[in-house]
Amino acid sequence: MNKLTECILNRNSSLMPVWFMRQAGRYLPEFRKIREKNQNFIKLCLNSDLVTDITLQPMNRFDLDAAIIFSDILMIPYGLNQEVEFKKNFGPKLGNLNIDKIINTNNNEFIKKLSPVYEGIRKVKKKIKNQNLIGFVGAPWTLLVYMMNRESPKKNFDINYINKNKSASNKILKKIEEAICLHVDKQIEAGANVIQIFDSWANLLPGNELENYCYMPTLKIVEHIKKSKIPAICFPRGIKNNYINFCSIVKPDCISIDYEIDPSWIKDKVNGIPIQGGMDPKILLTEKENIKKNVEKFITIFSDYPYIFNLGHGVIPETKPEIIEYVIKILRERKR
Ligand code: 1CP
């Protein structure tokens, strides 16, 4: 067992493994170099050699306990035959929602379209031995948001559109759930030994809709993953105190907290479920003294609790790579 799985499955509190959400990406000059030459982001995610190189970039630089496969949550809509494009200075742009086309996508077609992702996992797996390899998916709700909204909900989102089109949204949600399970299975078969579920837009749900769109659909995915004996880490970003309800209903193997959550508050409320993350990524843009103080805060709070060091969201592009190295050094030198 590697450190991450050992921390999660055996609830070993002495290890404190570390990895970073978005550890492969825009803050690394070597990533930007590849990205410049590969303007089509989906194509880049389907080039298994480049996927392997990019996944390993942070592993070659830093002493991390896990690699996360370089891919995107929007590969699922792509696999379901909705067009996906990443536009410069705009973000993702999805094509018209053709419900029949999406629902009629069969498993073989989906797997064939996404086979380079699985090939990339196989290639990375051969090159890392002592670290975990994390596969990932978007949660059903977050994927539904992108597929129906057809662009990031950051600037423009109307939940009434989803509620008014209940029959369409329920059909798509069901198909998304199936596709997520299939994508998880294929990633595990290829060598992923942890799965993270990103519900990045769970914060858009009013409290009375969380059950319907967040807890229940995610529970199905978590139960599916558990059948493979592979740990599932859930990240229902922005749901505040409802993290507690989420944990008691979904029972993930590990819960990833965002930076609005008070780590010492949540620690006693999730029934011993291992916790990941929490530190505000913006802290990594401040002076070293402040970074150290904050990292040590998490080390102290979780010294007797199974905890994976990570951030409360992804690494910000402006982060200096040497700061990631600095954080890892503090963690490695901590007193136990
Ligand atoms: O150069 C570029 O502009 C590409 C930027 C980029 C990168 C590096 C995108 C576009 N995706 C990725 C890789 C990616 N995406 C990874 C790689 C592995 C790693 O972490 O190192 C992962 C795990 C994701 C997951 C992802 N994609 C999420 C969930 C995590 C989160 O940040 O909340 C989401 C919401 C996406 C959608 C997406 N893909 C890319 C962007 C810019 C976005 C966000 C769009 C938005 O703001 O709505």
Side-chain angles (χ1 to χ4, degrees):
M1 233 190 264
N2 298 325
K3 260 167 91 175
L4 215 68
T5 17
E6 169 84 22
C7 173
I8 299 174
L9 295 175
N10 294 341
R11 300 199 172 178
N12 185 333
S13 62
S14 70
L15 298 170
M16 208 173 280
V18 53
W19 70 282
F20 293 82
M21 289 192 255
R22 301 289 187 111
Q23 66 189 22
R26 286 171 296 180
Y27 75 106
L28 287 179
E30 58 270 39
F31 170 76
R32 288 200 299 268
K33 211 166 144 193
I34 295 183
R35 181 73 171 106
E36 252 165 48
K37 291 191 212 130
N38 294 270
Q39 292 295 320
N40 184 325
F41 186 73
I42 294 282
K43 267 199 186 156
L44 178 58
C45 292
L46 293 172
N47 179 329
S48 68
D49 285 327
L50 290 178
V51 163
T52 307
D53 292 349
I54 297 170
T55 303
L56 294 173
Q57 281 175 350
M59 307 307 287
N60 295 335
R61 261 186 191 257
F62 313 118
D63 177 20
L64 294 159
D65 293 306
I68 178 162
I69 193 69
F70 181 80
S71 188
D72 200 84
I73 62 166
L74 299 179
M75 296 312 283
I76 286 190
Y78 167 81
L80 290 176
N81 286 314
Q82 183 174 18
E83 276 168 42
V84 182
E85 197 191 339
F86 287 85
K87 285 186 157 173
K88 224 177 186 155
N89 305 321
F90 180 80
K93 184 80 206 141
L94 284 77
N96 284 339
L97 193 67
N98 182 335
I99 296 176
D100 288 335
K101 198 170 165 190
I102 289 169
I103 286 174
N104 291 328
T105 308
N106 71 40
N107 288 358
N108 288 339
E109 191 184 346
F110 178 88
I111 293 168
K112 198 170 161 206
K113 284 190 87 172
L114 297 190
S115 61
V117 177
Y118 314 130
E119 198 49 42
I121 294 178
R122 286 198 172 83
K123 288 180 180 167
V124 172
K125 187 73 181 176
K126 278 193 197 136
K127 302 208 171 176
I128 57 167
K129 297 217 164 54
N130 301 320
Q131 296 105 336
N132 284 94
L133 177 50
I134 305 171
F136 69 89
V137 285
W141 165 251
T142 286
L143 291 184
L144 183 71
V145 166
Y146 279 110
M147 288 175 79
M148 293 197 68
N149 202 52
R150 298 175 47 216
E151 62 181 58
S152 173
K154 217 178 254 170
K155 292 186 203 114
N156 162 25
F157 179 70
D158 179 10
I159 195 166
N160 293 321
Y161 177 71
I162 292 183
N163 278 330
K164 270 189 217 139
N165 293 283
K166 265 259 152 43
S167 137
S169 50
N170 285 337
K171 275 191 208 161
I172 299 167
L173 196 59
K174 194 161 163 276
K175 186 70 181 180
I176 291 173
E177 287 167 4
E178 287 168 21
I180 290 174
C181 290
L182 186 60
H183 194 45
V184 160
D185 288 347
K186 297 305 287 182
Q187 292 184 71
I188 293 173
E189 189 185 297
N193 52 14
V194 176
I195 298 291
Q196 173 140 336
I197 305 172
F198 287 96
D199 212 349
S200 303
W201 296 109
N203 63 318
L204 299 175
L205 285 163
N208 62 348
E209 299 275 21
L210 278 168
E211 174 105 5
N212 244 340
Y213 285 114
C214 173
Y215 307 157
M216 288 307 151
T218 307
L219 176 62
K220 283 190 208 160
I221 312 300
V222 167
E223 289 188 334
H224 180 82
I225 297 171
K226 282 182 178 171
K227 285 190 223 153
S228 304
K229 308 260 185 288
I230 293 288
I233 306 175
C234 286
F235 182 46
R237 187 171 75 91
I239 63 169
K240 302 194 159 73
N241 292 0
N242 289 310
Y243 258 93
I244 309 302
N245 292 333
F246 181 94
C247 286
S248 68
I249 295 170
V250 178
K251 299 186 181 65
D253 296 292
C254 176
I255 185 78
S256 201
I257 57 174
D258 64 64
Y259 54 83
E260 289 177 347
I261 299 293
D262 176 350
S264 38
W265 168 80
I266 198 165
K267 194 180 127 181
D268 309 316
K269 293 190 172 50
V270 291
N271 213 5
I273 292 177
I275 295 174
Q276 168 178 281
M279 195 171 95
D280 191 336
K282 287 192 285 299
I283 289 183
L284 299 188
L285 306 179
T286 66
E287 336 75 83
K288 280 190 169 176
E289 197 61 20
N290 186 49
I291 296 171
K292 187 157 192 261
K293 192 180 90 195
N294 277 280
V295 174
E296 280 171 352
K297 179 181 110 181
F298 280 86
I299 293 176
T300 307
I301 292 171
F302 292 111
S303 65
D304 58 350
Y305 194 95
Y307 178 69
I308 300 168
F309 191 90
N310 202 322
L311 304 175
H313 203 184
V315 177
I316 296 171
E318 290 75 26
T319 309
K320 292 195 190 83
E322 57 267 34
I323 291 299
I324 299 291
E325 196 172 335
Y326 178 64
V327 171
I328 298 172
K329 185 166 167 277
I330 299 169
L331 289 164
R332 298 301 184 214
E333 287 172 358
R334 80 188 196 281
K335 293 188 242 20
R336 281 169 229 219

